[in-house]
Amino acid sequence: MYKIYIIEDDANIASLIVEHLTKYQYECHTDQQFTHIIEEFNTIQPHLVIMDINLPTYDGYFWSRKIRQLSTCPIIIVSARVNDIDQVYGIENGADDFITKPFSLDVFIAKINGLLRRTYGEYALTESSSITIANTTLNPDTVRLQAEGNESLLTLKEMQLSKLLFEAFPNVVPRQKLLSAIWDDETFVEENTLSVNIGRLRRKMEAIHSKLEIKTIRGLGYQLVEAGR
């Protein structure tokens, strides 16, 4: 049974989420105090986190960053904020997806099911061997990129994007292939989710001084290349 940690300060919404997820045989855990979220996370060891943004003391962005520092557990942000910048900021701070309130429970469940399948189920990464191109190594076992003695922890989406780009090197990976390979149904993907994840992956590659870069091939997709070529 998958365990889901729900961090939502609106008791009615939290109760609705728990009620619906329980029907699908998910083990749900909610937070009541919002002051010891990391301690609760470590105790529960959830398979997925549902995170609101507006929380007491520290917001969901803060807690997403904290969780991401110690785990690649998928995080879905659920918020009434509808601006693109909020969605971008959520993904930049470690979230794997962003759902705006009010939301369809069917879409909500579809996103959760798809993300869990990508992480732990039949579509999860199975190749454990590392891939090295130029000075950069992608290591699925540790979910990290390494270069020049530096390393960067990846989120699930970043790991899947990296794997597709590394395996296709030096060929272009069509945008549609990236979407269909990482998300079960592109209908449920926000317009800028892919580009935001690519942007975040680019910055992580720069931070470890990788000699690789991700080029946008207009009208086609993305291509992993050696810098300066």
Side-chain angles (χ1 to χ4, degrees), residues 2-229:
Y2 289 121
K3 293 182 288 185
I4 298 182
Y5 184 22
I6 301 161
I7 307 171
E8 166 64 68
D9 67 342
D10 186 316
N12 291 328
I13 294 177
S15 178
L16 178 65
I17 291 174
V18 169
E19 180 182 357
H20 202 66
L21 289 179
T22 302
K23 294 178 183 177
Y24 289 84
Q25 306 302 310
Y26 290 121
E27 178 184 324
C28 298
H29 299 263
T30 57
D31 199 297
Q32 305 297 324
Q33 302 300 322
F34 308 102
T35 54
H36 301 288
I37 287 175
I38 296 303
E39 289 86 345
E40 288 290 315
F41 177 88
N42 287 327
T43 299
I44 298 167
Q45 290 292 301
H47 296 93
L48 183 142
V49 173
I50 296 172
M51 178 83 69
D52 188 19
I53 294 178
N54 296 322
L55 297 170
T57 310
Y58 298 106
D59 62 22
Y61 299 133
F62 172 86
W63 292 117
S64 293
R65 289 196 303 273
K66 289 295 185 181
I67 290 173
R68 193 54 71 225
Q69 288 172 6
L70 54 90
S71 173
T72 57
C73 171
I75 300 172
I76 296 179
I77 285 183
V78 179
S79 175
R81 300 187 187 185
V82 297
N83 294 329
D84 285 348
I85 189 63
D86 291 309
Q87 299 184 38
V88 170
Y89 198 54
I91 294 173
E92 292 283 358
N93 281 277
D96 294 283
D97 208 339
F98 192 110
I99 301 176
T100 56
K101 301 175 185 176
F103 52 82
S104 160
L105 287 173
D106 289 336
V107 171
F108 183 61
I109 288 296
K111 288 204 172 199
I112 289 174
N113 289 341
L115 193 48
L116 288 172
R117 280 197 299 271
R118 294 297 181 192
T119 311
Y120 312 105
E122 63 267 35
Y123 302 137
L125 293 170
T126 56
E127 294 292 335
S128 60
S129 58
S130 61
I131 307 173
T132 300
I133 300 174
N135 71 331
T136 307
T137 298
L138 174 67
N139 193 329
D141 284 336
T142 60
V143 201
R144 282 169 168 80
L145 273 177
Q146 300 166 316
E148 305 294 334
N150 307 306
E151 66 176 25
S152 183
L153 177 66
L154 304 176
T155 65
L156 170 66
K157 291 286 189 284
E158 292 165 356
M159 183 69 230
Q160 292 168 323
L161 289 171
S162 298
K163 190 169 185 293
L164 287 170
L165 290 166
F166 268 70
E167 289 179 340
F169 177 85
N171 299 320
V172 176
V173 182
R175 181 183 179 89
Q176 194 65 31
K177 181 177 180 179
L178 291 170
L179 285 170
S180 61
I182 298 174
W183 287 274
D184 286 335
D185 190 335
E186 303 95 280
T187 303
F188 298 144
V189 182
E190 297 290 345
E191 180 83 21
N192 57 357
T193 299
L194 177 58
S195 57
V196 169
N197 276 279
I198 288 288
R200 192 169 62 183
L201 183 55
R202 282 172 171 153
R203 286 188 288 278
K204 289 189 175 182
M205 293 174 70
E206 291 172 0
I208 63 173
H209 306 296
S210 171
K211 292 181 180 179
L212 299 176
E213 61 182 23
I214 303 172
K215 293 181 64 176
T216 301
I217 309 300
R218 190 175 299 277
L220 292 176
Y222 296 94
Q223 180 184 27
L224 189 66
V225 300
E226 291 189 54
R229 293 195 176 184

